[in-house]
Amino acid sequence: MLIKRKKGWELPESAATPEALFRDRRRLMKGLAAGSILAAMPGLTACGSEAAPMKDPSASLYPAMRNLRYRVDREMTAEELATTYNNYYEFGSHKNIWRAAQSLPIRPWTVTLDGMVEKEQQIAIDDLLAMVKLEERVYRFRCVEAWAMTVPWTGFPMRRLVEIAKPLSGAKYVRMETFKDPSIAPGQKQSWYPWPYVEGLTMAEATNELTLMATGIYGQPIPAQNGAPIRLITPWKYGFKQLKSIVRFTFTDERPKGFWEEIQGREYGFWANVNPEVPHPRWSQATERLLGPDTRVPTLLYNGYADFVADMYKGMEGERLFM
Protein backbone atom coordinates (compact mmCIF):
# COMPACT_ATOMS: atom_id res chain seq x y z
CA MET A 1 0.00 0.00 0.00
CA LEU A 2 1.36 3.43 -0.96
CA ILE A 3 1.37 5.88 1.93
CA LYS A 4 2.06 9.51 1.10
CA ARG A 5 3.49 11.63 3.88
CA LYS A 6 2.68 15.31 3.80
CA LYS A 7 5.79 17.47 3.72
CA GLY A 8 6.13 20.59 5.85
CA TRP A 9 6.36 22.91 2.87
CA GLU A 10 3.30 21.64 0.99
CA LEU A 11 -0.18 23.09 0.80
CA PRO A 12 -3.22 21.83 -1.09
CA GLU A 13 -3.67 23.15 -4.61
CA SER A 14 -7.00 24.70 -3.57
CA ALA A 15 -5.21 26.88 -1.01
CA ALA A 16 -2.83 28.45 -3.48
CA THR A 17 -3.69 31.85 -4.89
CA PRO A 18 -4.33 31.52 -8.65
CA GLU A 19 -1.39 32.99 -10.52
CA ALA A 20 -3.54 35.26 -12.70
CA LEU A 21 -5.23 36.74 -9.62
CA PHE A 22 -1.86 37.24 -7.94
CA ARG A 23 -0.51 39.04 -11.02
CA ASP A 24 -3.58 41.29 -11.22
CA ARG A 25 -3.33 42.17 -7.56
CA ARG A 26 0.37 42.91 -7.88
CA ARG A 27 -0.24 45.25 -10.81
CA LEU A 28 -3.04 46.99 -8.92
CA MET A 29 -0.92 47.44 -5.82
CA LYS A 30 1.96 48.78 -7.88
CA GLY A 31 -0.35 51.31 -9.49
CA LEU A 32 -1.77 52.46 -6.16
CA ALA A 33 1.65 52.64 -4.52
CA ALA A 34 3.57 54.25 -7.36
CA GLY A 35 2.49 57.79 -6.63
CA SER A 36 3.27 57.70 -2.92
CA ILE A 37 6.53 55.80 -3.34
CA LEU A 38 7.84 58.05 -6.09
CA ALA A 39 6.78 61.16 -4.22
CA ALA A 40 8.72 60.00 -1.17
CA MET A 41 11.95 59.59 -3.14
CA PRO A 42 14.01 62.79 -3.46
CA GLY A 43 14.65 63.58 -7.11
CA LEU A 44 12.45 60.75 -8.40
CA THR A 45 9.11 61.40 -10.07
CA ALA A 46 6.71 59.46 -12.24
CA CYS A 47 8.12 61.35 -15.22
CA GLY A 48 11.61 60.03 -14.49
CA SER A 49 14.79 61.73 -13.30
CA GLU A 50 18.46 61.13 -12.74
CA ALA A 51 17.62 59.26 -9.53
CA ALA A 52 15.49 56.69 -11.34
CA PRO A 53 16.88 53.12 -11.38
CA MET A 54 18.39 51.88 -14.61
CA LYS A 55 15.94 50.09 -16.89
CA ASP A 56 16.66 46.38 -17.03
CA PRO A 57 17.04 45.18 -20.64
CA SER A 58 15.93 41.67 -19.63
CA ALA A 59 12.40 42.81 -18.72
CA SER A 60 10.84 40.93 -21.64
CA LEU A 61 11.89 37.60 -20.05
CA TYR A 62 9.42 38.05 -17.18
CA PRO A 63 7.16 36.73 -15.84
CA ALA A 64 8.41 33.15 -16.18
CA MET A 65 6.40 29.98 -15.69
CA ARG A 66 6.01 28.99 -12.05
CA ASN A 67 7.44 25.61 -11.02
CA LEU A 68 4.78 24.04 -8.79
CA ARG A 69 7.22 21.54 -7.29
CA TYR A 70 8.26 24.26 -4.85
CA ARG A 71 5.39 25.34 -2.62
CA VAL A 72 4.98 26.85 0.81
CA ASP A 73 2.29 26.84 3.47
CA ARG A 74 2.30 30.61 3.97
CA GLU A 75 0.82 33.61 2.23
CA MET A 76 3.06 35.49 -0.16
CA THR A 77 4.78 38.50 1.38
CA ALA A 78 3.58 41.77 -0.14
CA GLU A 79 5.93 43.00 -2.85
CA GLU A 80 6.11 46.43 -1.23
CA LEU A 81 7.52 44.86 1.95
CA ALA A 82 9.94 42.42 0.37
CA THR A 83 11.46 45.14 -1.82
CA THR A 84 11.80 47.85 0.84
CA TYR A 85 12.84 45.91 3.97
CA ASN A 86 16.35 44.79 3.09
CA ASN A 87 19.83 44.12 4.37
CA TYR A 88 22.49 45.37 1.96
CA TYR A 89 25.50 46.60 3.93
CA GLU A 90 27.16 47.92 0.80
CA PHE A 91 24.57 50.71 0.92
CA GLY A 92 24.09 51.04 4.68
CA SER A 93 23.50 49.04 7.85
CA HIS A 94 19.82 50.00 8.24
CA LYS A 95 16.83 48.25 6.64
CA ASN A 96 15.67 51.23 4.56
CA ILE A 97 18.47 51.12 1.98
CA TRP A 98 16.34 50.59 -1.12
CA ARG A 99 16.60 54.22 -2.21
CA ALA A 100 20.39 54.28 -1.83
CA ALA A 101 20.72 51.01 -3.75
CA GLN A 102 19.27 52.60 -6.90
CA SER A 103 22.76 53.96 -7.60
CA LEU A 104 23.91 50.43 -8.48
CA PRO A 105 24.47 50.23 -12.27
CA ILE A 106 23.12 46.89 -13.50
CA ARG A 107 24.58 47.19 -17.03
CA PRO A 108 27.16 46.48 -18.18
CA TRP A 109 27.50 43.49 -15.82
CA THR A 110 29.92 40.64 -16.31
CA VAL A 111 30.15 37.38 -14.39
CA THR A 112 33.55 35.71 -14.11
CA LEU A 113 33.89 31.92 -13.82
CA ASP A 114 37.41 31.01 -12.74
CA GLY A 115 39.59 28.90 -10.48
CA MET A 116 39.53 25.14 -10.96
CA VAL A 117 37.64 25.11 -14.26
CA GLU A 118 38.44 23.80 -17.72
CA LYS A 119 38.68 27.32 -19.05
CA GLU A 120 38.20 30.60 -17.25
CA GLN A 121 35.55 32.79 -18.84
CA GLN A 122 33.71 36.06 -18.50
CA ILE A 123 30.06 36.18 -19.49
CA ALA A 124 27.89 39.28 -19.84
CA ILE A 125 24.73 38.88 -17.79
CA ASP A 126 22.43 39.07 -20.83
CA ASP A 127 24.48 36.42 -22.62
CA LEU A 128 24.17 34.24 -19.52
CA LEU A 129 20.40 34.73 -19.47
CA ALA A 130 20.28 33.59 -23.08
CA MET A 131 21.99 30.33 -22.09
CA VAL A 132 19.51 29.32 -19.38
CA LYS A 133 15.78 28.74 -18.94
CA LEU A 134 14.11 30.93 -16.33
CA GLU A 135 11.40 29.69 -14.00
CA GLU A 136 9.58 31.07 -10.98
CA ARG A 137 9.82 29.38 -7.59
CA VAL A 138 8.04 30.38 -4.39
CA TYR A 139 10.44 29.98 -1.46
CA ARG A 140 10.56 30.76 2.22
CA PHE A 141 13.31 33.21 3.18
CA ARG A 142 14.68 33.21 6.74
CA CYS A 143 17.04 35.90 8.05
CA VAL A 144 19.43 35.09 10.87
CA GLU A 145 17.89 38.12 12.63
CA ALA A 146 14.71 35.98 12.97
CA TRP A 147 12.45 37.71 10.47
CA ALA A 148 11.04 35.82 7.52
CA MET A 149 9.14 36.27 4.25
CA THR A 150 7.76 34.23 1.37
CA VAL A 151 8.92 35.33 -2.08
CA PRO A 152 8.32 34.33 -5.72
CA TRP A 153 11.85 34.36 -7.14
CA THR A 154 12.61 33.97 -10.83
CA GLY A 155 15.88 32.41 -11.90
CA PHE A 156 17.62 29.22 -12.93
CA PRO A 157 19.18 26.32 -11.00
CA MET A 158 22.76 26.95 -9.96
CA ARG A 159 23.65 23.49 -11.24
CA ARG A 160 23.19 24.97 -14.73
CA LEU A 161 25.81 27.61 -13.96
CA VAL A 162 28.12 24.85 -12.74
CA GLU A 163 27.61 23.03 -16.05
CA ILE A 164 28.57 26.18 -17.93
CA ALA A 165 31.67 26.67 -15.78
CA LYS A 166 32.86 23.05 -16.25
CA PRO A 167 34.76 22.67 -12.95
CA LEU A 168 37.61 20.21 -12.58
CA SER A 169 37.08 17.04 -10.55
CA GLY A 170 39.17 18.39 -7.68
CA ALA A 171 36.90 21.41 -7.07
CA LYS A 172 35.09 21.05 -3.73
CA TYR A 173 33.65 24.52 -3.20
CA VAL A 174 32.30 27.55 -5.04
CA ARG A 175 33.52 30.88 -3.70
CA MET A 176 31.22 33.77 -4.71
CA GLU A 177 32.06 37.45 -4.67
CA THR A 178 29.92 40.55 -5.04
CA PHE A 179 30.78 43.82 -6.75
CA LYS A 180 33.14 46.32 -5.13
CA ASP A 181 32.76 50.00 -6.01
CA PRO A 182 32.89 52.47 -3.09
CA SER A 183 32.09 55.31 -5.47
CA ILE A 184 28.48 54.11 -5.70
CA ALA A 185 28.24 51.96 -2.53
CA PRO A 186 28.98 54.17 0.50
CA GLY A 187 29.06 51.21 2.88
CA GLN A 188 32.17 49.93 1.11
CA LYS A 189 34.05 53.01 2.32
CA GLN A 190 33.90 51.51 5.81
CA SER A 191 37.34 49.93 5.95
CA TRP A 192 36.60 47.78 8.99
CA TYR A 193 34.49 45.49 6.80
CA PRO A 194 36.29 42.90 4.63
CA TRP A 195 34.97 44.03 1.24
CA PRO A 196 33.97 42.66 -1.20
CA TYR A 197 31.22 40.48 0.25
CA VAL A 198 32.24 36.83 -0.09
CA GLU A 199 30.36 33.60 0.57
CA GLY A 200 30.70 29.96 -0.41
CA LEU A 201 28.97 26.64 -0.89
CA THR A 202 30.13 23.08 -1.25
CA MET A 203 29.74 21.59 -4.71
CA ALA A 204 26.94 19.40 -3.34
CA GLU A 205 25.10 22.47 -2.06
CA ALA A 206 25.70 24.40 -5.27
CA THR A 207 24.22 21.61 -7.36
CA ASN A 208 21.31 20.80 -5.02
CA GLU A 209 18.00 21.22 -6.84
CA LEU A 210 16.85 24.01 -4.49
CA THR A 211 19.84 26.27 -5.10
CA LEU A 212 18.75 29.08 -7.38
CA MET A 213 20.49 31.90 -9.20
CA ALA A 214 17.79 34.55 -8.92
CA THR A 215 17.46 37.26 -11.54
CA GLY A 216 13.83 38.23 -10.94
CA ILE A 217 11.22 38.68 -8.24
CA TYR A 218 7.43 39.12 -8.33
CA GLY A 219 7.35 38.46 -12.05
CA GLN A 220 9.85 41.14 -13.06
CA PRO A 221 13.63 41.73 -13.07
CA ILE A 222 15.08 41.78 -9.58
CA PRO A 223 15.57 45.33 -8.25
CA ALA A 224 18.93 46.59 -7.05
CA GLN A 225 18.11 46.36 -3.34
CA ASN A 226 17.22 42.68 -3.72
CA GLY A 227 20.45 41.80 -5.51
CA ALA A 228 20.27 42.85 -9.18
CA PRO A 229 21.16 41.57 -11.62
CA ILE A 230 21.96 38.13 -10.14
CA ARG A 231 21.98 36.75 -6.61
CA LEU A 232 22.07 33.44 -4.77
CA ILE A 233 19.03 31.82 -3.12
CA THR A 234 19.54 28.84 -0.79
CA PRO A 235 16.21 28.70 1.08
CA TRP A 236 17.31 26.25 3.77
CA LYS A 237 20.09 28.60 4.93
CA TYR A 238 20.04 31.90 6.79
CA GLY A 239 19.87 34.95 4.57
CA PHE A 240 23.45 36.17 5.01
CA LYS A 241 24.59 33.14 2.98
CA GLN A 242 22.53 34.33 0.00
CA LEU A 243 24.76 37.03 -1.40
CA LYS A 244 23.62 39.71 -3.82
CA SER A 245 24.87 41.27 -7.06
CA ILE A 246 27.46 38.58 -7.81
CA VAL A 247 30.39 39.21 -10.15
CA ARG A 248 32.62 36.17 -9.61
CA PHE A 249 32.28 32.41 -9.10
CA THR A 250 35.58 30.74 -8.21
CA PHE A 251 35.81 26.95 -8.05
CA THR A 252 38.33 25.83 -5.47
CA ASP A 253 39.47 22.99 -3.22
CA GLU A 254 39.78 25.34 -0.22
CA ARG A 255 36.75 26.20 1.92
CA PRO A 256 35.94 29.91 1.52
CA LYS A 257 35.62 32.17 4.55
CA GLY A 258 32.53 34.31 4.24
CA PHE A 259 32.07 38.00 4.98
CA TRP A 260 30.27 37.53 8.29
CA GLU A 261 32.39 34.55 9.28
CA GLU A 262 35.43 36.78 8.83
CA ILE A 263 33.90 39.46 11.04
CA GLN A 264 32.48 37.24 13.79
CA GLY A 265 33.07 33.54 13.27
CA ARG A 266 31.60 32.61 16.65
CA GLU A 267 28.19 33.79 15.48
CA TYR A 268 28.24 33.25 11.70
CA GLY A 269 29.78 30.08 10.31
CA PHE A 270 30.24 28.50 6.91
CA TRP A 271 27.15 26.27 6.93
CA ALA A 272 24.42 28.51 8.43
CA ASN A 273 21.60 25.98 8.01
CA VAL A 274 18.35 26.93 9.75
CA ASN A 275 17.68 25.10 13.02
CA PRO A 276 15.19 26.27 15.68
CA GLU A 277 17.06 24.38 18.42
CA VAL A 278 20.41 26.11 17.88
CA PRO A 279 20.21 29.71 19.11
CA HIS A 280 22.28 32.58 17.85
CA PRO A 281 24.63 33.57 20.71
CA ARG A 282 22.51 36.70 21.28
CA TRP A 283 18.94 35.53 20.59
CA SER A 284 16.75 32.48 20.12
CA GLN A 285 16.04 30.99 16.69
CA ALA A 286 13.04 28.98 17.92
CA THR A 287 10.54 31.37 16.31
CA GLU A 288 10.54 33.90 13.48
CA ARG A 289 8.65 37.12 12.72
CA LEU A 290 6.68 37.15 9.48
CA LEU A 291 6.91 40.39 7.54
CA GLY A 292 3.44 41.77 6.96
CA PRO A 293 1.28 40.16 9.65
CA ASP A 294 4.19 40.78 12.08
CA THR A 295 3.34 37.58 13.95
CA ARG A 296 5.76 35.06 15.38
CA VAL A 297 5.62 31.45 14.22
CA PRO A 298 7.76 28.38 14.94
CA THR A 299 10.97 28.05 12.93
CA LEU A 300 11.33 24.79 11.00
CA LEU A 301 14.47 22.69 10.68
CA TYR A 302 16.23 23.59 7.42
CA ASN A 303 13.50 26.24 7.08
CA GLY A 304 11.07 23.48 6.08
CA TYR A 305 13.26 22.01 3.32
CA ALA A 306 14.74 19.01 5.16
CA ASP A 307 13.40 16.57 2.57
CA PHE A 308 15.54 18.26 -0.08
CA VAL A 309 18.78 18.89 1.81
CA ALA A 310 19.20 16.85 5.00
CA ASP A 311 21.03 14.00 3.25
CA MET A 312 23.89 16.33 2.35
CA TYR A 313 24.82 16.68 6.03
CA LYS A 314 24.69 13.09 7.24
CA GLY A 315 27.82 12.03 9.09
CA MET A 316 28.89 15.62 9.76
CA GLU A 317 28.19 15.77 13.49
CA GLY A 318 31.51 17.50 14.10
CA GLU A 319 30.60 20.50 11.96
CA ARG A 320 28.82 23.63 13.18
CA LEU A 321 26.05 23.14 10.67
CA PHE A 322 23.54 25.55 12.16
CA MET A 323 25.53 28.73 12.85
Side-chain angles (χ1 to χ4, degrees):
M1 179 173 59
L2 178 63
I3 299 176
K4 182 177 180 181
R5 293 188 305 153
K6 184 177 179 181
K7 300 178 175 61
W9 46 265
E10 284 188 320
L11 81 169
E13 187 70 26
S14 61
T17 302
E19 184 167 357
L21 179 59
F22 171 72
R23 301 288 183 202
D24 287 343
R25 181 184 180 278
R26 180 176 64 80
R27 285 192 289 268
L28 175 61
M29 293 301 293
K30 284 181 65 179
L32 293 173
S36 59
I37 291 176
L38 293 172
M41 294 180 65
L44 180 58
T45 69
C47 298
S49 75
E50 291 183 357
M54 180 183 295
K55 180 176 175 59
D56 194 314
S58 69
S60 63
L61 301 177
Y62 305 87
M65 184 71 71
R66 180 173 297 176
N67 188 332
L68 296 179
R69 175 170 169 78
Y70 309 101
R71 309 184 187 191
V72 297
D73 56 355
R74 293 177 179 171
E75 291 186 6
M76 205 87 71
T77 301
E79 179 181 354
E80 292 74 21
L81 278 175
T83 57
T84 59
Y85 189 89
N86 312 99
N87 284 325
Y88 205 162
Y89 274 63
E90 285 84 343
F91 295 98
S93 57
H94 53 87
K95 292 293 187 293
N96 189 27
I97 53 81
W98 69 274
R99 291 182 177 88
Q102 304 313 310
S103 63
L104 177 68
I106 59 173
R107 297 296 190 280
W109 194 277
T110 301
V111 172
T112 298
L113 308 176
D114 63 7
M116 299 177 66
V117 294
E118 289 185 9
K119 182 180 180 181
E120 296 187 353
Q121 53 186 310
Q122 292 185 328
I123 308 175
I125 185 64
D126 293 302
D127 292 337
L128 178 60
L129 290 174
M131 301 168 68
V132 300
K133 182 178 180 180
L134 297 181
E135 62 182 66
E136 185 177 79
R137 297 184 181 185
V138 179
Y139 278 163
R140 295 170 180 254
F141 183 95
R142 175 61 156 79
C143 183
V144 73
E145 297 167 349
W147 55 266
M149 58 183 179
T150 302
V151 178
W153 303 101
T154 302
F156 60 95
M158 188 176 178
R159 64 173 58 166
R160 175 66 182 126
L161 184 77
V162 173
E163 291 172 356
I164 294 170
K166 297 180 180 179
L168 303 179
S169 60
K172 298 178 180 178
Y173 304 93
V174 186
R175 177 188 183 275
M176 288 158 281
E177 181 178 307
T178 66
F179 79 97
K180 183 178 180 181
D181 187 350
S183 69
I184 57 96
Q188 292 184 333
K189 296 178 182 178
Q190 298 172 333
S191 59
W192 54 87
Y193 286 127
W195 303 111
Y197 199 105
V198 168
E199 260 304 341
L201 297 174
T202 66
M203 290 297 295
E205 291 174 326
T207 56
N208 182 274
E209 69 168 281
L210 286 184
T211 307
L212 191 72
M213 302 311 309
T215 61
I217 186 174
Y218 292 95
Q220 57 194 329
I222 195 168
Q225 65 270 24
N226 291 97
I230 185 168
R231 68 167 293 166
L232 176 72
I233 296 295
T234 49
W236 72 97
K237 292 181 176 290
Y238 291 118
F240 72 88
K241 289 289 293 186
Q242 304 178 49
L243 67 173
K244 300 176 174 181
S245 306
I246 307 173
V247 298
R248 185 179 299 273
F249 298 83
T250 300
F251 294 81
T252 176
D253 57 2
E254 297 183 5
R255 191 162 91 177
K257 195 167 189 178
F259 181 88
W260 288 107
E261 185 180 9
E262 184 77 32
I263 295 171
Q264 181 53 279
R266 188 178 73 90
E267 299 184 0
Y268 308 104
F270 173 80
W271 301 101
N273 297 322
V274 177
N275 189 333
E277 297 183 0
V278 178
H280 183 281
R282 289 180 280 135
W283 57 79
S284 170
Q285 297 287 14
T287 64
E288 57 200 42
R289 178 176 62 88
L290 300 181
L291 293 187
D294 202 34
T295 55
R296 298 201 72 92
V297 298
T299 298
L300 298 180
L301 180 64
Y302 294 111
N303 203 23
Y305 294 100
D307 288 342
F308 290 97
V309 303
D311 285 347
M312 289 191 291
Y313 307 108
K314 287 182 177 178
M316 298 177 64
E317 290 78 11
E319 294 280 353
R320 296 170 64 242
L321 295 175
F322 305 103
M323 281 190 175

